[in-house]
């Protein structure tokens, strides 16, 4: 009978693993891949993608392990025939299912890490962030399994899946420390910022503490051994301390990080975040014509600097500050438009009510950007500007830049 019980248990576990490992791996890879920033290989964002994938993997793993626990519960009468402690079989099952979940998570980590390594990566990998995702996943496995053991009903797996998914989804829109409770809802890490390691360590402690608390509580409930009280209290204390640590973070998982830029120095000097250094050739090609047309004007620039999102953009003293979040299609045109927008006085242009002034500015903007000339209501100005050579247009801009800057161009400027 003991041999029969062992065979049945092996078969039940094998079925769960055959389903869990490939399913968790596929879902995890897709979820993490969609969380990566287009064209940016920044290690902190890679870690965020892994942590966020657990928000989907965790509920799914909890539902699968609850289903496995319900199936295993039917074999308890066979375990009673052995001399092992009552909790031993459940502990072995949880360890096996946790290993399966971690195998899937490790595969997801390898896929995302290789993708990052194959591109122009920047920053450094955060092992604590990867560990935070792993401990949160194991926590879900334990929660699902224990729920299936305590309530051995087929509907338990559905309830566990729905409950853990609601736990993850309810905190997704929050900006308080509540959103950092595992599985954490981390936002995209902007360039020039980085993850705070102590916040990740607090998440690891919270997940590990709660997992150990649940396991020891189950062992005490089954075996009624007094020795489990001390480690149980220690695990509860660890979870409480981790909660206090996350609460003190005010919901901020990132902080500014000093970053040495990557630059290219001919014919302009362009400096960007190291994660975007692959964009330097394209940016040089896109911005050089604009720099040549502005040469000799107060808006001339010879250097372009990528700045954090909180820093102002614009052209000042020969330096053009721009914002660039990722390398999604059209990023070169976006940078050129930002420089163009920094040439005018926003307040003066916003207060300009004359339609003709807006049309003249649009005509000059189209030339600066190298796009098609728009239709204007002044045919004389359109014919005159369209018939000038490139050198004549540049000389005209040097003479009329002040009016262009204030959005105060008139028909007289073109006669």
């Amino acid at each position: 009978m003991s041999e029969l019980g062992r065979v049945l248990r092996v078969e039940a576990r094998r079925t769960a693993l055959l389903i869990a490992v490939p399913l968790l791996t596929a879902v995890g890879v897709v979820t993490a891949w969609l969380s990566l920033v287009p064209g940016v290989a920044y290690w902190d964002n890679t870690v965020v993608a892994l942590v966020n994938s657990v928000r989907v993997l965790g509920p799914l793993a909890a539902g699968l392990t609850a289903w496995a626990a319900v199936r295993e519960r039917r074999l308890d009468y066979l375990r009673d025939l052995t001399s092992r402690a009552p909790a031993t079989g459940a502990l072995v099952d949880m360890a096996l299912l946790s290993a399966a979940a971690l195998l899937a998570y490790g595969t997801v980590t390898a896929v995302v890490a290789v993708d990052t390594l194959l591109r122009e990566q920047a920053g450094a990998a955060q092992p604590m962030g990867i560990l935070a995702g792993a401990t949160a996943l194991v926590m879900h496995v334990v929660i699902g399994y224990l729920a299936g053991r305590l309530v051995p009903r087929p509907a338990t797996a559905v309830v566990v899946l729905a409950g853990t998914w609601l736990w993850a989804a309810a905190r997704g829109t929050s900006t308080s420390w509540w959103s950092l409770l595992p599985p954490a809802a981390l936002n995209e890490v902007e360039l020039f910022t980085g993850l705070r390691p102590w916040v990740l360590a607090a998440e690891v402690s919270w997940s590990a503490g709660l997992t150990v608390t649940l396991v020891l509580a189950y062992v005490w409930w089954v075996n009624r051994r007094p020795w489990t009280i001390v480690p149980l209290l220690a695990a509860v204390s660890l979870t409480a301390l981790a909660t206090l640590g996350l609460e003190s973070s005010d919901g901020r998982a990132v902080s500014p990080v000093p970053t040495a830029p990557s630059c290219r120095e001919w014919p302009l000097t362009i400096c960007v975040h190291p994660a975007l250094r692959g964009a330097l050739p394209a940016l040089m090609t896109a911005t050089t014509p604009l720099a040549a047309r502005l040469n000799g004007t107060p808006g001339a620039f010879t250097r372009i600097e990528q700045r954090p999102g909180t820093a102002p953009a614009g052209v000042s003293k020969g330096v053009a500050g721009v914002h660039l979040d990722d390398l999604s299609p059209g990023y070169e045109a976006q940078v050129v438009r930002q420089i163009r927008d920094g040439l005018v006085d926003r307040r003066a242009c916003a207060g300009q009510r004359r339609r003709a002034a807006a049309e003249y500015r649009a005509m000059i903007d189209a030339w600066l950007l190298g796009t098609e000339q728009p239709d204007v209501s002044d045919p004389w100005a359109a014919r005159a500007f369209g018939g000038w050579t490139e050198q004549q247009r540049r000389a005209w801009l040097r003479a009329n830049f002040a009016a262009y800057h204030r959005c105060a161009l008139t028909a007289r400027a073109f006669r």
Side-chain angles (χ1 to χ4, degrees):
M1 184 63 71
S2 176
E3 291 297 325
L4 176 61
R6 186 178 296 108
V7 170
L8 292 176
R9 287 197 300 275
V10 169
E11 289 299 322
R13 293 167 185 164
R14 182 180 302 166
T15 303
L17 295 182
L18 286 176
I19 296 175
V21 174
L23 179 60
L24 291 176
T25 301
V27 172
V29 169
V30 172
T31 305
W33 196 275
L34 293 176
S35 298
L36 294 175
V37 181
V40 179
Y42 193 26
W43 277 110
D44 286 88
N45 273 324
T46 300
V47 172
V48 168
L50 288 172
V51 173
N52 285 337
S53 70
V54 178
R55 292 169 55 77
V56 177
L57 284 181
L60 184 58
L64 288 172
T65 51
W67 167 69
V70 170
R71 296 188 63 197
E72 287 287 317
R73 193 71 168 81
R74 303 170 185 171
L75 304 176
D76 279 356
Y77 74 95
L78 295 175
R79 286 174 172 157
D80 294 339
L81 301 177
T82 68
S83 59
R84 296 185 303 177
T88 302
L91 293 177
V92 172
D93 289 341
M94 282 189 284
L96 188 62
L97 292 168
S98 297
L102 291 177
L103 175 61
Y105 180 77
T107 305
V108 176
T109 303
V111 171
V112 177
V114 168
D115 173 72
T116 304
L117 287 170
L118 292 178
R119 296 184 288 155
E120 300 282 353
Q121 74 273 9
Q126 292 271 14
M128 193 60 67
I130 299 174
L131 186 59
T135 53
L137 186 59
V138 172
M139 177 186 70
H140 281 82
V141 170
V142 170
I143 290 174
Y145 185 84
L146 292 181
R149 293 285 301 174
L150 297 175
V151 187
R153 299 288 186 272
T156 300
V158 178
V159 173
V160 168
L161 175 62
T164 51
W165 181 83
L166 288 175
W167 165 255
R171 296 169 303 105
T173 57
S174 175
T175 56
S176 67
W177 68 272
W178 181 259
S179 64
L180 298 180
L181 292 176
L186 299 179
N187 295 322
E188 175 187 320
V189 179
E190 297 181 358
L191 301 177
F192 304 102
T193 63
L195 292 169
R196 304 164 79 178
W198 70 267
V199 172
L200 299 176
E203 291 179 357
V204 172
S205 300
W206 197 90
S207 297
L210 183 59
T211 301
V212 175
T213 297
L214 293 174
V215 172
L216 290 177
Y218 176 77
V219 172
W220 177 84
W221 180 68
V222 173
N223 294 337
R224 303 292 179 177
R225 299 293 176 85
W227 63 266
T228 58
I229 298 298
V230 174
L232 177 60
L233 293 177
V236 172
S237 301
L238 177 63
T239 306
L241 290 174
T243 303
L244 293 176
L246 292 175
E247 185 179 8
S248 65
S249 68
D250 296 326
R252 293 181 292 108
V254 300
S255 59
V257 175
T259 305
S262 295
C263 300
R264 186 168 179 173
E265 299 185 351
W266 184 259
L268 302 172
T269 299
I270 303 181
C271 296
V272 297
H273 190 277
L276 303 180
R277 57 184 175 269
L280 287 173
L283 290 177
M284 186 70 73
T285 301
T287 58
T288 298
L290 177 61
R293 287 165 181 162
L294 292 172
N295 186 34
T297 71
F301 63 90
T302 57
R303 181 182 178 89
I304 300 175
E305 294 179 352
Q306 180 190 3
R307 295 175 179 172
T310 56
V315 181
S316 176
K317 298 180 180 179
V319 179
V322 298
H323 296 151
L324 185 61
D325 298 326
D326 55 49
L327 300 184
S328 54
Y331 68 90
E332 310 98 321
Q334 174 189 347
V335 168
V336 174
R337 285 194 297 270
Q338 288 184 34
I339 298 175
R340 185 276 316 272
D341 292 342
L343 299 175
V344 298
D345 185 335
R346 295 179 181 271
R347 182 175 300 179
C349 292
Q352 179 59 259
R353 302 301 181 186
R354 294 188 300 112
R355 175 185 175 187
E359 291 181 346
Y360 294 143
R361 179 198 167 187
M363 188 168 61
I364 305 306
D365 286 344
W367 165 61
L368 291 175
L369 298 179
T371 58
E372 184 178 355
Q373 288 291 325
D375 294 330
V376 296
S377 57
D378 186 348
W380 173 270
R383 286 195 301 268
F385 191 78
W388 293 342
T389 65
E390 181 70 15
Q391 295 304 321
Q392 288 174 321
R393 290 180 177 181
R394 294 182 187 182
W396 177 90
L397 183 61
R398 288 193 292 269
N400 294 275
F401 186 84
Y404 168 75
H405 174 71
R406 301 190 310 271
C407 293
L409 289 171
T410 63
R412 182 178 300 177
F414 298 93
R415 290 179 171 82

